[in-house]
């Protein structure tokens, strides 16, 4: 009785785990495990076999004008408060936006005909081909407006050294043509020629896929990655991943080329606009100077004066420094008025820049405004005015123009205050000259106005010469 009880209470014998029995359950199905492994390895090899290689290509572009256009001036800080500009990062973001703009990418697509892609199929693997690898060259006699919106797929196969056959996307024969002769097609005529006449491979099929430019541009825009090299760097790194390395290189090269060309066109547009503005002001000032010359001549005859310079020199010599300040301030005020009148009369045009005003904020504001205006005008070539991006740019331009107007008003008030101070100082100096004749004062006023206009005239001539370099 004691032995039986002890056996029943022994947990090690009752619940003992038999490893061999457990393994035998799995070893019994070893064929299925081996088959699963073989299938997994085969699937992996098949995936690697049918999946085309991907090449990552990169290019770099230096934003050289960044420091000048997005400096740390007080006006830039004010723009940052408005959410318009916040220094180098925002300026880099602007350049990135231009590089990835649909309009710029479409120009690259049209240049390289990226909306038309070519493929070959071998061993169930479809591979894209590009340029020299394409066995047949196809010339489309179709309007760009039609071809750029077309979505169509077909294939070509050489049946002899002089003839070929066209197939639709389902592999059904459409038509037969001769190499080098125009052949009517659904959307227009085409001319097919072999890339290498002596190496035509009979029976080889080339698949052609035509896609809308808009779709290709959206796809390419999503695949292009642009970022600064470092957080504070002015160097932008552009990367693109594609099945064909040569094609990716061509895309990035053309993208950078068109970006640089637009930058040059932008600067030329600003320079031409500024030159036109300066020429108009020079013409106006020339007329005004002629009037001064006649006025001085009339005054001398009326007052019978022979040596007006020596008469006026007594007064001008005692206040030469203050007089020069008055001339400079008055010229600046007139220049601001010119720009203000121009902006009122030309609300949709670029604002003349590089005028060298005392207040450096003008150049900063005008540069930012002109950049946004050019970008909006570029977008309007391919988008309507109701486009959300165009609408946002319009709002930014309106806010920026208001800020420019306000800045001009504040600067003019500041200059006017300084001018009044200088004139009061001049009166103090003039009061020290005893018994100053009325003629001397009138002479001084005439010569002062003439000197102001002459200074502005010479200044504009200098700016015209600088802009022409």
């Amino acid at each position: 009785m004691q032995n039986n009880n002890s056996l029943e209470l022994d947990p090690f014998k009752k619940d003992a785990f038999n490893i061999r029995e457990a393994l035998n359950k799995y070893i019994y199905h070893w064929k299925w495990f081996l088959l699963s492994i073989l299938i997994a390895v085969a699937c992996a090899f098949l995936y690697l076999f049918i999946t085309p290689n991907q090449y990552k290509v990169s290019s770099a572009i230096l934003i050289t004008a960044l420091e000048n256009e997005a400096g740390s001036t007080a006006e830039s800080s004010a723009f940052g408060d408005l959410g318009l500009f916040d220094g180098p990062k925002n300026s880099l973001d602007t350049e990135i936006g231009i590089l990835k703009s649909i309009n710029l990418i479409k120009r690259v697509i049209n240049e390289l005909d990226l909306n038309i892609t070519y493929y070959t199929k071998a061993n169930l693997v479809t591979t894209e081909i590009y340029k020299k690898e394409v066995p047949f060259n196809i010339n489309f006699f179709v309007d760009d407006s039609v071809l750029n919106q077309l979505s169509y797929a077909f294939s070509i196969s050489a049946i002899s050294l002089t003839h070929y056959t066209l197939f639709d996307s389902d592999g059904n024969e459409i038509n037969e043509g001769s190499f080098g002769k125009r052949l009517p097609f659904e959307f227009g005529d085409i001319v097919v020629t072999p890339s290498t006449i002596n190496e035509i491979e009979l029976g080889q099929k080339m698949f052609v896929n035509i896609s809308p430019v808009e779709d290709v541009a959206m796809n390419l825009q999503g695949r292009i990655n642009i970022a600064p090299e470092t957080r504070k760097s002015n160097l932008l790194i552009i990367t693109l991943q594609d099945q064909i390395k040569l094609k990716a290189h061509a895309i990035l090269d053309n993208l950078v080329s068109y970006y640089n060309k637009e930058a040059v066109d932008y600067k030329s547009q600003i320079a031409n606009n500024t030159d036109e503005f300066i020429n108009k002001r020079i013409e106006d000032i020339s007329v005004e100077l002629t009037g001064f010359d006649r006025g001085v001549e009339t005054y001398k005859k009326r007052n019978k004066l022979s040596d007006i310079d020596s008469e006026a020199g007594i007064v001008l010599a005692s206040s030469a420094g203050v007089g020069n300040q008055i001339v400079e301030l008055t010229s600046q005020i007139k220049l601001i008025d010119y720009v203000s009148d121009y902006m009122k009369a030309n609300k949709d045009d670029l604002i003349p820049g590089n005028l060298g005003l005392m207040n450096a904020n003008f150049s900063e504001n005008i540069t930012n405004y002109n950049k946004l205006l050019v970008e909006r005008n570029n977008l309007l070539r391919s988008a309507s005015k109701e486009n959300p991006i165009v609408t946002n740019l319009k709002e930014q331009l309106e806010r920026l123009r208001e800020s420019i107007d306000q800045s001009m008003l504040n600067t003019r008030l500041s200059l006017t205050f300084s001018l009044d101070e200088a004139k009061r100082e001049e009166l103090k100096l003039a009061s020290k000259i005893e018994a100053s004749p009325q003629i001397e004062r009138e002479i001084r006023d005439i010569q002062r106005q003439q000197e102001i206009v002459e200074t502005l005239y010479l200044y504009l001539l200098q700016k015209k010469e600088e802009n022409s370099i």
Side-chain angles (χ1 to χ4, degrees):
M1 292 292 294
Q2 291 178 354
N3 290 337
N4 290 339
N5 291 338
S6 62
L7 288 174
E8 291 178 359
L9 295 174
D10 188 352
F12 296 102
K13 288 189 176 182
K14 181 180 180 181
D15 300 326
F17 178 73
N18 193 322
I19 298 176
R20 184 171 182 178
E21 289 182 1
L23 288 175
N24 285 336
K25 294 178 182 179
Y26 297 98
I27 293 174
Y28 179 77
H29 302 286
W30 68 271
K31 296 179 181 180
W32 294 107
F33 286 107
L34 180 60
L35 181 62
S36 300
I37 294 173
L38 292 176
I39 291 175
V41 172
C43 289
F45 274 103
L46 180 62
Y47 174 79
L48 294 175
F49 180 73
I50 65 176
T51 302
N53 295 330
Q54 293 289 329
Y55 299 93
K56 188 175 183 180
V57 177
S58 63
S59 180
I61 182 171
L62 180 64
I63 310 300
T64 55
L66 187 61
E67 293 179 358
N68 295 330
E69 294 178 0
S72 56
T73 61
E75 193 67 21
S76 295
S77 300
F79 278 28
D81 294 338
L82 292 174
L84 297 175
F85 300 98
D86 56 359
K89 181 182 183 302
N90 187 275
S91 185
L92 276 179
D93 289 343
T94 301
E95 301 307 317
I96 292 173
I98 294 174
L99 279 164
K100 294 192 69 172
S101 64
I102 290 294
N103 183 57
L104 196 64
I105 292 176
K106 282 182 178 179
R107 294 178 66 179
V108 175
I109 293 171
N110 291 328
E111 175 68 22
L112 300 176
D113 294 326
L114 298 180
N115 58 317
I116 305 173
T117 50
Y118 306 93
Y119 302 87
T120 58
K121 184 180 291 185
N123 299 325
L124 301 178
V125 178
T126 301
T127 306
E128 183 180 355
I129 52 179
Y130 184 68
K131 289 197 172 180
K132 293 183 179 181
E133 297 178 349
V134 176
F136 308 111
N137 296 320
I138 306 175
N139 294 297
F140 296 89
F141 291 85
V142 187
D143 290 338
D144 290 340
S145 58
V146 176
L147 189 63
N148 290 344
Q149 297 180 7
L150 189 64
S151 179
Y152 196 85
F154 63 98
S155 59
I156 300 175
S157 178
I159 56 177
S160 70
L161 297 179
T162 58
H163 289 76
Y164 63 90
T165 304
L166 295 178
F167 301 90
D168 60 19
S169 58
D170 296 326
N172 301 317
E173 184 176 338
I174 302 175
N175 205 343
E176 182 179 318
S178 299
F179 289 120
K181 290 186 178 181
R182 293 180 69 153
L183 179 69
F185 209 28
E186 288 188 29
F187 47 80
D189 293 351
I190 64 172
V191 173
V192 180
T193 57
S195 299
T196 52
I197 297 177
N198 298 326
E199 298 180 7
I200 298 177
E201 185 178 341
L202 301 182
Q204 180 187 15
K205 266 192 178 183
M206 182 183 76
F207 298 87
V208 184
N209 186 43
I210 306 175
S211 304
V213 170
E214 188 74 27
D215 295 346
V216 178
M218 294 296 293
N219 176 269
L220 185 57
Q221 185 186 50
R223 293 193 294 122
I224 293 176
N225 183 46
I226 307 175
E229 184 182 35
T230 60
R231 190 173 64 88
K232 295 184 178 180
S233 174
N234 293 349
L235 191 67
L236 291 179
I237 305 299
I238 311 171
T239 57
L240 173 64
Q241 190 169 302
D242 196 87
Q243 297 179 19
I244 305 173
K245 186 188 297 186
L246 181 63
K247 180 180 177 182
H249 274 296
I251 292 173
L252 294 190
D253 289 345
N254 278 268
L255 184 67
V256 173
S257 176
Y258 277 120
Y259 169 80
N260 290 331
K261 185 178 182 300
E262 287 203 351
V264 172
D265 292 343
Y266 165 74
K267 291 179 181 178
S268 299
Q269 192 175 5
I270 295 294
N272 293 336
N273 186 267
T274 302
D275 192 56
E276 182 181 350
F277 171 81
I278 290 176
N279 288 334
K280 184 64 172 65
R281 299 288 81 76
I282 288 176
E283 291 177 6
D284 296 340
I285 292 173
S286 298
V287 174
E288 195 172 351
L289 281 174
T290 303
F292 275 120
D293 291 337
R294 292 175 180 174
V296 171
E297 182 181 356
T298 302
Y299 187 85
K300 290 170 69 176
K301 289 179 179 179
R302 186 173 69 246
N303 293 279
K304 298 179 180 181
L305 299 175
S306 59
D307 192 2
I308 190 170
D309 291 334
S310 60
E311 294 290 334
I314 300 174
V315 177
L316 294 177
S318 62
S319 57
V322 178
N324 291 335
Q325 184 182 4
I326 291 175
V327 169
E328 182 66 23
L329 291 171
T330 307
S331 299
Q332 291 286 316
I333 292 174
K334 279 183 171 290
L335 202 54
I336 289 176
D337 291 340
Y338 287 154
V339 176
S340 179
D341 293 341
Y342 180 86
M343 289 178 62
K344 291 177 182 177
N346 304 273
K347 293 185 177 181
D348 295 325
D349 293 340
L350 296 169
I351 302 174
N354 192 27
L355 295 175
L357 291 164
M358 282 184 179
N359 191 337
N361 294 333
F362 279 114
S363 297
E364 178 80 18
N365 297 353
I366 290 171
T367 297
N368 291 323
Y369 177 86
N370 287 337
K371 285 180 63 178
L372 284 181
L373 184 61
V374 170
E375 176 65 11
R376 190 203 66 172
N377 292 341
N378 288 338
L379 289 175
L380 285 175
R381 297 174 189 170
S382 57
S384 64
K385 293 183 178 180
E386 289 74 24
N387 185 283
I389 299 177
V390 175
T391 304
N392 291 337
L393 283 176
K394 180 182 178 182
E395 293 176 357
Q396 295 288 331
L397 286 168
E398 290 175 352
R399 293 169 62 188
L400 186 52
R401 195 179 183 93
E402 291 176 1
S403 180
I404 292 173
D405 289 335
Q406 186 61 45
S407 180
M408 290 177 63
L409 177 61
N410 294 338
T411 303
R412 195 185 191 285
L413 290 175
S414 177
L415 290 173
T416 303
F417 178 79
S418 299
L419 180 62
D420 292 340
E421 287 288 327
K423 287 181 177 180
R424 282 194 289 269
E425 182 65 23
E426 186 184 43
L427 288 175
K428 292 179 182 178
L429 294 173
S431 65
K432 297 178 181 180
I433 302 175
E434 297 180 359
S436 178
Q438 181 180 358
I439 292 178
E440 291 182 352
R441 292 196 300 271
E442 292 176 354
I443 291 172
R444 180 190 61 190
D445 292 339
I446 293 174
Q447 290 193 333
R448 174 63 50 71
Q449 291 299 321
Q450 186 174 7
E451 186 179 355
I452 289 171
V453 176
E454 287 176 347
T455 300
L456 188 57
Y457 180 80
L458 294 174
Y459 177 80
L460 289 175
L461 284 178
Q462 179 186 355
K463 284 300 172 184
K464 177 179 173 63
E465 183 177 352
E466 291 176 358
N467 287 333
S468 64
I469 297 177

